């Protein structure tokens, strides 16, 4: 799928072309992460709180983008945060938007989380697995399990291949990608059954799967129990 043959190059391409066609950096970055910056950020925060986000814990935000979630968490002074992404410009924007000098925003070039084993209480990956092949999703899940404490929670969104509304998104996503190969990232869908299989293969227990969710995408919540 990659035009340039390097990890994350497709998404860097999306950001590059959004910068060309949008009137401002803010509009380009909002479009690159799917739009509705404030509203989706609030929904993501509320979802994590409902799943037990601890104010004194460490959350890892995989694919943190322009800081949509980070901005909604920044008023929790005891919360530790690590955001990772493949696009330097998005990370810099997120760092500035969050206004938390104690937080980390790290550039990554492979499916590794730059945290110690057992350090995190929660990992989140919103609008990430919606664009990744299965082997990459499984690699990230393995990393999530490594960095999570016992009873830590992994939350991620996905497109349900069996859901009619998501099937349309998958068809439209392929069409847009084939037509432009510039400003769109390819969408990839997985069934709820496949998502449940991922939990077993990655050493997680399924806490719940919600399809669809208020985010528009579907949500899976896994728990590390050993």
């Amino acid at each position: 799928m990659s035009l340039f043959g390097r990890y994350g190059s497709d998404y860097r391409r999306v950001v590059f072309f959004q910068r060309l066609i949008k009137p401002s950096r803010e509009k380009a970055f909002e479009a690159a992460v799917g739009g509705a910056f404030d509203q989706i950020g609030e929904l993501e925060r509320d979802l994590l709180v409902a799943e037990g986000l601890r104010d004194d814990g460490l959350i890892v935000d995989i694919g943190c983008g322009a800081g949509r979630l980070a901005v909604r968490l920044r008023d929790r002074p005891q919360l530790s945060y690590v955001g990772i992404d493949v696009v330097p410009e998005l990370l810099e924007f997120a760092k500035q938007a969050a206004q938390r000098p104690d937080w980390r925003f790290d550039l990554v070039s492979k499916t590794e989380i730059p945290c110690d084993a057992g350090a995190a209480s929660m990992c989140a990956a919103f609008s990430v697995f919606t664009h990744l092949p299965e082997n990459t999703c499984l690699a990230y899940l393995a990393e999530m399990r490594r960095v999570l404490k016992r009873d830590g929670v992994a939350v991620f969104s996905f497109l349900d291949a069996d859901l009619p509304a998501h099937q349309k998104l998958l068809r439209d996503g392929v069409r847009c990608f084939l037509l432009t190969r510039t400003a769109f990232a390819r969408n990839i869908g997985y069934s709820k059954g496949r998502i449940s299989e991922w939990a077993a293969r990655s050493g997680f227990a399924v806490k719940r799967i919600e399809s669809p969710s208020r985010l528009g995408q579907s949500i899976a919540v896994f728990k590390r129990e050993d």
Side-chain angles (χ1 to χ4, degrees), residues 23-209:
S24 67
R25 185 176 70 152
E26 290 77 9
K27 294 294 184 183
F29 291 166
E30 180 174 334
V33 299
F37 190 90
D38 293 333
Q39 299 93 321
I40 297 299
E42 290 179 1
L43 288 172
E44 291 174 349
R45 176 204 59 203
D46 292 348
L47 171 63
L48 298 182
V49 170
E51 294 301 335
L53 177 67
R54 294 177 49 180
D55 282 349
D56 61 349
L58 167 64
I59 181 170
V60 178
D61 186 6
I62 299 167
C64 66
R68 187 164 58 186
L69 175 60
V71 167
R72 296 300 159 187
L73 296 176
R74 66 185 177 188
D75 61 349
R76 298 167 182 261
Q78 301 304 314
L79 182 66
S80 298
Y81 173 98
V82 175
I84 64 174
D85 207 279
V86 297
V87 184
E89 296 90 341
L90 291 182
L91 284 166
E92 184 59 32
F93 187 87
K95 184 177 181 179
Q96 293 173 2
Q99 300 178 359
R100 286 290 300 263
D102 56 319
W103 284 3
R104 285 170 48 196
F105 294 86
D106 292 349
L107 182 69
V108 295
S109 59
K110 52 187 175 181
T111 52
E112 289 185 0
I113 297 173
C115 294
D116 293 336
S121 53
M122 183 170 284
C123 292
F126 292 113
S127 297
V128 176
F129 291 2
T130 52
H131 304 300
L132 296 180
E134 183 174 44
N135 63 328
T136 307
C137 296
L138 288 169
Y140 265 127
L141 284 171
E143 274 293 276
M144 287 176 165
R145 189 182 186 284
R146 181 185 67 81
V147 303
L148 282 170
K149 302 176 183 292
R150 183 175 181 178
D151 295 330
V153 173
V155 181
F156 62 91
S157 63
F158 68 99
L159 294 175
D160 187 344
D162 295 329
L163 197 67
H166 289 182
Q167 289 171 352
K168 183 178 186 304
L169 285 174
L170 293 168
R171 292 194 301 270
D172 291 348
V174 170
R175 186 180 303 115
C176 288
F177 181 77
L178 292 175
L179 286 173
T180 65
R181 295 190 66 82
T182 53
F184 298 93
R186 179 189 174 194
N187 290 323
I188 301 176
Y190 301 99
S191 69
K192 294 187 292 294
R194 181 62 62 86
I195 297 298
S196 295
E197 291 175 6
W198 288 2
R201 292 173 64 179
S202 304
F204 282 103
V206 176
K207 189 176 180 184
R208 71 182 183 94
I209 296 176

